[in-house]
């Protein structure tokens, strides 16, 4: 093994992947993935105890190759442990030599939030002003960090399983973003971005769609999971980050029996000023996005 390999812990990984640079790297990776300049097979998943899953996710390009081994164990939350654990190995594509070891959950959290931020930039008319995050787990934390980095003046509303969890989450994140508070029982009409970030097996958002509200589904990554309902989905134009992966993993779309011929990739160019219909973006993740994050860390 290359003796000069550098190992980044969670904090060092975060510092090496700032959100502005990450978004630009994701744009390039999305374009290269669409033209097969990034090789990224479908991830392999093997079951862990209970509802857990171990995911193997490789990707390669002309400059770098990466392999993410990440374990997702929802039961960890009850034990006070992180739900996601793992590592990302970054290698030189020419020699195959390992260069970096990055913290897997940090890479996953940041690139997942990065895709949401890219979707806001691509489809939302103007900067995000009032964002609802549904979920109080680690992905919501990364989205708070990302929103603060790109839209520091936005208001963030939080919806959890109960008021206590919402208030605790807001208290824990006040030092990151001061304009954060629990969501009222009725979602305010002026919420212009909704991002669902749970592992729910039942629909948690099914509001009539409007062009002034962008909806981003992030949490459901198994066929048995579903956050977005048919009312929202059937009345919207749908974009996905990884079309091949979504056909197997996007439980929201599968349960709503969405016609895949009307689902488009984020790589499709679009002029957001000319978009007429409500937009839903479904994110299932891809090792290509981990490669994008690894490029930023390597450059740093």
């Amino acid at each position: 093994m290359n003796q000069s390999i550098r190992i980044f812990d969670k904090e060092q990984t975060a510092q090496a992947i700032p959100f502005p640079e990450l978004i630009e790297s994701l744009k390039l990776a999305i374009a290269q993935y669409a033209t097969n300049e990034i090789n990224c097979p479908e991830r392999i998943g093997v079951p862990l105890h209970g509802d857990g899953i171990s995911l193997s996710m490789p990707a390669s390009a002309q400059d770098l190759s990466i392999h993410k081994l990440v374990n997702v164990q929802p039961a960890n939350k009850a034990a006070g442990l992180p739900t996601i654990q793992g590592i990302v190995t970054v290698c030189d594509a020419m020699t195959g030599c390992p260069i970096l070891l990055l913290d897997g959950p940090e890479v996953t959290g940041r690139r997942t939030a990065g895709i949401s931020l890219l979707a806001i930039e691509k489809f939302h008319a103007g900067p995000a002003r009032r964002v609802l995050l549904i979920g109080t787990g680690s992905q919501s934390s990364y989205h708070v960090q990302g929103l603060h980095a790109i839209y520091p003046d936005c208001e963030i509303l939080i919806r959890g399983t109960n008021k206590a969890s919402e208030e605790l989450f807001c208290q824990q994140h006040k030092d990151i973003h001061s304009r954060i508070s629990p969501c009222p029982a009725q979602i305010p009409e002026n919420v212009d971005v909704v991002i669902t970030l749970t592992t729910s097996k039942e629909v948690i958002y099914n509001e009539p769609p409007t062009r002034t509200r962008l909806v981003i589904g992030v949490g459901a990554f198994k066929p048995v999971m579903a956050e977005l309902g048919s009312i929202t989905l059937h009345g919207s134009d749908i974009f996905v980050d990884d079309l091949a992966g979504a056909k197997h993993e996007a439980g929201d779309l599968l349960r709503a029996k969405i016609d895949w011929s009307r689902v488009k990739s984020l790589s499709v160019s679009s002029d957001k000023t000319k978009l007429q219909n409500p937009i839903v973006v479904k994110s299932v993740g891809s090792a290509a996005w981990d490669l994008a994050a690894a490029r930023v860390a390597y450059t740093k």
Side-chain angles (χ1 to χ4, degrees):
M1 180 178 287
N2 182 358
Q3 295 303 309
S4 63
I5 186 170
R6 296 187 61 186
I7 301 174
F8 284 20
D9 62 17
K10 178 181 174 68
E11 182 178 347
Q12 291 169 325
T13 299
Q15 292 175 349
I17 311 174
F19 282 103
E21 289 93 330
L22 174 58
I23 294 171
E24 294 306 310
S25 186
L26 284 167
K27 290 177 184 177
L28 175 61
I30 287 171
Q32 291 183 330
Y33 184 42
T35 56
N36 297 317
E37 294 174 79
I38 291 179
N39 297 301
C40 181
E42 292 183 29
R43 59 188 168 198
I44 300 172
V46 294
L48 294 178
H49 180 76
D51 290 330
I53 187 170
S54 183
L55 301 169
S56 174
M57 303 172 64
S60 66
Q62 289 294 315
D63 52 342
L64 298 176
S65 70
I66 66 101
H67 176 246
K68 183 169 77 172
L69 180 62
V70 64
N71 301 320
V72 183
Q73 182 51 273
N76 281 2
K77 187 174 182 180
L81 297 172
T83 299
I84 303 174
Q85 303 191 55
I87 58 172
V88 176
T89 305
V90 185
C91 301
D92 179 275
M94 182 67 71
T95 65
C97 291
I99 305 168
L100 299 172
L101 285 180
L102 302 173
D103 183 82
E106 191 68 27
V107 171
T108 302
R110 297 182 83 81
R111 61 85 155 150
T112 302
I115 288 291
S116 296
L117 294 166
L118 188 154
I120 294 171
E121 178 183 314
K122 185 178 179 71
F123 296 113
H124 189 56
R129 295 174 296 276
R130 200 174 199 190
V131 182
L132 169 61
L133 303 181
I134 302 181
T136 56
S138 62
Q139 284 294 351
S140 293
S141 294
Y142 285 108
H143 278 70
V144 170
Q145 295 175 46
L147 286 165
H148 179 75
I150 306 301
Y151 304 107
D153 296 326
C154 77
E155 180 182 358
I156 299 176
L157 300 179
I158 299 296
R159 172 160 289 179
T161 54
N162 53 64
K163 285 298 179 185
S165 66
E166 295 171 358
E167 291 171 358
L168 177 61
F169 183 92
C170 292
Q171 181 180 0
Q172 291 172 335
H173 292 79
K174 283 283 188 183
D175 59 334
I176 298 174
H177 191 84
S178 60
R179 299 189 66 197
I180 184 170
S181 60
C183 182
Q186 185 74 24
I187 299 175
E189 291 186 6
N190 62 353
V191 166
D192 54 341
V193 180
V194 172
I195 308 176
T196 58
L197 300 147
T198 76
T199 55
S200 178
K201 294 181 180 178
E202 301 298 331
V203 170
I204 58 173
Y205 183 86
N206 199 23
E207 300 294 320
T210 68
R211 182 64 191 96
T212 57
R213 178 179 292 175
L214 173 65
V215 177
I216 305 172
V218 175
F221 62 95
K222 293 182 181 180
V224 297
M225 296 177 179
E227 298 181 298
L228 307 178
S230 58
I231 293 175
T232 300
L233 291 169
H234 282 287
S236 304
D237 288 347
I238 302 173
F239 292 81
V240 296
D241 63 334
D242 181 2
L243 187 55
K247 290 181 178 180
H248 301 287
E249 300 171 0
D252 326 69
L253 277 57
L254 294 169
R255 187 176 298 188
K257 295 181 170 55
I258 296 298
D259 180 357
W260 289 102
S261 66
R262 55 179 284 253
V263 179
K264 300 176 182 178
S265 167
L266 281 182
S267 63
V268 175
S269 62
S270 60
D271 182 350
K272 63 182 178 183
T273 64
K274 297 180 180 179
L275 294 171
Q276 299 297 320
N277 298 325
I279 301 293
V280 166
V281 176
K282 175 60 186 173
S283 169
V284 294
S286 168
W289 318 153
D290 298 308
L291 176 60
R295 281 172 164 168
V296 177
Y298 177 69
T299 302
K300 285 284 182 182

